Amino acid sequence: MEGEYKKIILLKGLEPINDYQFSIVKSVLARDLGLTANMQKEYNKVKIADLMEKKFPGVACVNKLIDLFKEMQDCEDIVINLRNGKRKVMRQSRGKETIPMKKIKPGASSTEESTSTADGASGSVHDTPESKKQKSKTTPKGGKKKVQPTQQQSQLPEPSATSTQSSGSSLQGPQQPPATPCSSGSTKKPRLKAIPREAAREEGVQKGPKKVMVLKATEPFVYDTMEPGKKMFHATVATESQFFQVKVFQVNLKEKFVSKNIITISDYVGRNGFLEVYDASSVSEVSADQKMEVSSGLIQKANATPKIRDLYLQKPGTFVNGIYEVHKKNVLNEQIISYEIQDNTGKMEVWVYGRLTEVDCEEGDKLRLTCFELSDNVKKLRSVIHSFMKVIKSRKNKKQPLDPDSHMETSP
């Protein structure tokens, strides 16, 4: 199967990209692949695929390319194709695993043979001594008796719909209190207004209008260093029952995204858990006499930092906002820095790429992370093209000069 993984990275990963994107791939992977400056110029896609297959054997080469393309703009379809190709090869690999076959006596029916094969493949309770005795019973004509399942077998639980979901799905809603007895002797659960733990999601083009209260917003920043004109900012808004994460690509709208301001959003796009606003005319302020009541509990949830323990339960691809303390810093190269963050529930790595490596952050500082993604292989957070990072300097680091372009703030 090694050759199949190489075929995936070459045909589904490297072949569809243009020359500029290929130069990015070679530049980022230069250290891992041992590429000199001349090799970066001379190596074509076939040679890079050959080298990746040697440096990252098996499925690791595909994962490496997926991780890289997820950071690059306009490569979403390539990531999907790489993942689909990887899953197909892995399924084929599992299907080719050989399973010892039980010997079938001459004259045995094909049904018996398939049953024997299934039993040998399962390795389950069907191979207990008791079940083997039942299987060996024959009718006077030499045929096998149809055996009813034993009590132990019949009590095996069936897989439920919820058991196939990720464990992170249990975090979607608040715990309900135990049922309380009513006067009639029956039980009745008290009605509580549910407060969502995660931002609400909408997918596709949405006409609106949606009336929301602004809870907070970041300052505008350049998200594509190759095109300084590409700026955006992040915001958190809420209705009376839900909160949303918003990407705003018109920075002149920043004056409307002020805390506690009530606005309407129209003609936006729902994508990957965010509402994306592109047109300045899509946002308007409501009249001063219109009020909104957003509960303090909902505001608290919208501003909360997820516990690291809970991040390990979330599915890959989840985007995370929060404030975490840095305990270790490891500069891997000019384009990659790894931070180890920690809270009272655990530790996790945060990998920062490209422009965000220029942000001055040291051990003991806190990182305010916005739009960081959980990776799909080793659990860690990593920056993507729309990620934003701000540093809250610790007291011991406060005396360091502050660079206004480094997105810093100081703790009180």
Side-chain angles (χ1 to χ4, degrees):
M1 287 297 171
E2 300 292 326
E4 294 298 323
Y5 290 122
K6 176 183 173 182
K7 187 187 298 183
I8 291 172
I9 63 173
L10 181 58
L11 300 183
K12 296 183 180 294
L14 298 178
E15 182 62 24
I17 62 178
N18 57 39
D19 292 340
Y20 173 69
Q21 291 169 325
F22 183 49
S23 66
I24 294 177
V25 171
K26 289 189 288 186
S27 177
V28 174
L29 296 181
R31 177 166 294 189
D32 292 335
L33 299 179
L35 298 176
T36 64
N38 287 335
M39 292 167 69
Q40 290 186 50
K41 293 179 181 178
E42 296 174 0
Y43 272 33
N44 58 23
K45 295 176 181 180
V46 175
K47 288 185 177 181
I48 292 297
D50 291 340
L51 202 53
M52 287 189 67
E53 183 186 30
K54 293 178 181 178
K55 294 289 185 179
F56 310 109
V59 72
C61 64
V62 183
N63 290 335
K64 191 74 174 179
L65 213 52
I66 290 174
D67 288 344
L68 177 54
F69 282 142
K70 288 180 72 174
E71 306 296 330
M72 295 171 59
Q73 193 172 9
D74 300 326
C75 291
E76 294 86 354
D77 292 340
I78 298 177
V79 171
I80 293 172
N81 291 336
L82 286 170
R83 284 175 172 167
N84 291 339
K86 180 179 74 171
R87 293 191 186 104
K88 182 178 179 180
V89 173
M90 294 178 73
R91 285 196 298 266
Q92 291 175 346
S93 178
R94 286 194 295 266
K96 289 185 177 181
E97 293 177 358
T98 56
I99 302 172
M101 302 288 288
K102 292 184 179 181
K103 292 184 177 180
I104 308 299
K105 294 181 179 180
S109 66
S110 59
T111 305
E112 295 170 17
E113 182 176 357
S114 61
T115 304
S116 176
T117 304
D119 290 339
S122 66
S124 63
V125 294
H126 296 285
D127 287 328
T128 59
E130 181 180 355
S131 62
K132 286 181 178 179
K133 289 179 181 179
Q134 291 177 340
K135 291 177 184 178
S136 64
K137 292 180 181 180
T138 60
T139 62
K141 295 183 179 180
K144 295 283 185 180
K145 274 190 176 181
K146 185 176 181 181
V147 181
Q148 295 295 327
T150 64
Q151 182 178 6
Q152 180 186 9
Q153 297 167 14
S154 63
Q155 291 177 349
L156 289 176
E158 292 291 332
S160 64
T162 55
S163 68
T164 60
Q165 298 175 357
S166 64
S167 54
S169 63
S170 62
L171 303 175
Q172 302 303 315
Q175 295 286 341
Q176 294 295 328
T180 54
C182 299
S183 57
S184 62
S186 61
T187 59
K188 183 179 180 181
K189 292 183 179 180
R191 291 185 177 179
L192 295 177
K193 186 177 181 180
I195 297 178
R197 283 176 174 245
E198 295 183 352
R201 301 175 66 96
E202 293 182 358
E203 294 296 330
V205 178
Q206 307 291 326
K207 290 297 182 181
K210 181 187 294 293
K211 179 181 173 184
V212 296
M213 176 186 287
V214 178
L215 302 184
K216 60 182 179 181
T218 69
E219 59 261 36
F221 62 95
V222 176
Y223 64 89
D224 187 347
T225 55
M226 302 301 295
E227 298 186 42
K230 288 192 173 182
K231 294 183 178 182
M232 65 173 293
F233 64 89
H234 288 273
T236 304
V237 301
T239 64
E240 293 182 344
S241 59
Q242 297 174 308
F243 68 93
F244 299 85
Q245 303 295 345
V246 186
K247 295 178 181 179
V248 185
F249 295 93
Q250 286 284 343
V251 295
N252 57 342
L253 290 172
K254 183 65 170 65
E255 60 185 13
K256 295 181 180 180
F257 281 82
V258 178
S259 179
K260 297 185 179 179
N261 202 21
I262 301 175
I263 59 177
T264 60
I265 305 176
S266 306
D267 300 318
Y268 56 91
V269 178
R271 183 183 289 120
N272 296 329
F274 293 88
L275 309 185
E276 299 181 354
V277 176
Y278 294 93
D279 193 344
S281 63
S282 299
V283 178
S284 58
E285 296 186 67
V286 302
S287 59
D289 59 341
Q290 293 193 42
K291 304 295 182 182
M292 280 191 69
E293 293 294 333
V294 180
S295 69
S296 59
L298 182 59
I299 295 174
Q300 184 179 3
K301 291 296 183 185
N303 294 328
T305 293
K307 294 293 185 181
I308 292 177
R309 171 189 58 203
D310 295 338
L311 294 183
Y312 279 101
L313 301 177
Q314 296 296 320
K315 62 182 180 180
T318 299
F319 286 94
V320 176
N321 297 347
I323 302 174
Y324 299 95
E325 185 173 349
V326 174
H327 283 254
K328 291 182 183 179
K329 177 181 179 180
N330 184 16
V331 180
L332 302 179
N333 57 48
E334 293 181 355
Q335 292 295 312
I336 306 176
I337 295 178
S338 171
Y339 296 100
E340 182 186 277
I341 57 173
Q342 182 175 336
D343 63 13
N344 60 352
T345 67
K347 301 177 182 179
M348 180 173 280
E349 286 189 355
V350 178
W351 282 44
V352 173
Y353 302 90
R355 60 181 170 81
L356 293 181
T357 59
E358 299 177 4
V359 177
D360 182 15
C361 178
E362 303 298 332
E363 295 177 3
D365 294 339
K366 291 183 178 180
L367 284 176
R368 185 189 300 273
L369 306 177
T370 305
C371 191
F372 273 67
E373 186 184 34
L374 275 171
S375 62
D376 63 349
N377 42 17
V378 179
K379 274 295 176 72
K380 64 174 182 273
L381 289 171
R382 60 184 175 192
S383 67
V384 294
I385 189 171
H386 295 150
S387 295
F388 180 77
M389 186 171 80
K390 195 165 186 176
V391 178
I392 305 172
K393 304 300 291 184
S394 66
R395 291 182 179 180
K396 67 177 182 178
N397 295 331
K398 269 187 181 182
K399 295 182 181 180
Q400 297 180 358
L402 298 182
D403 181 352
D405 295 327
S406 295
H407 307 303
M408 292 185 184
E409 62 185 59
T410 56
S411 57

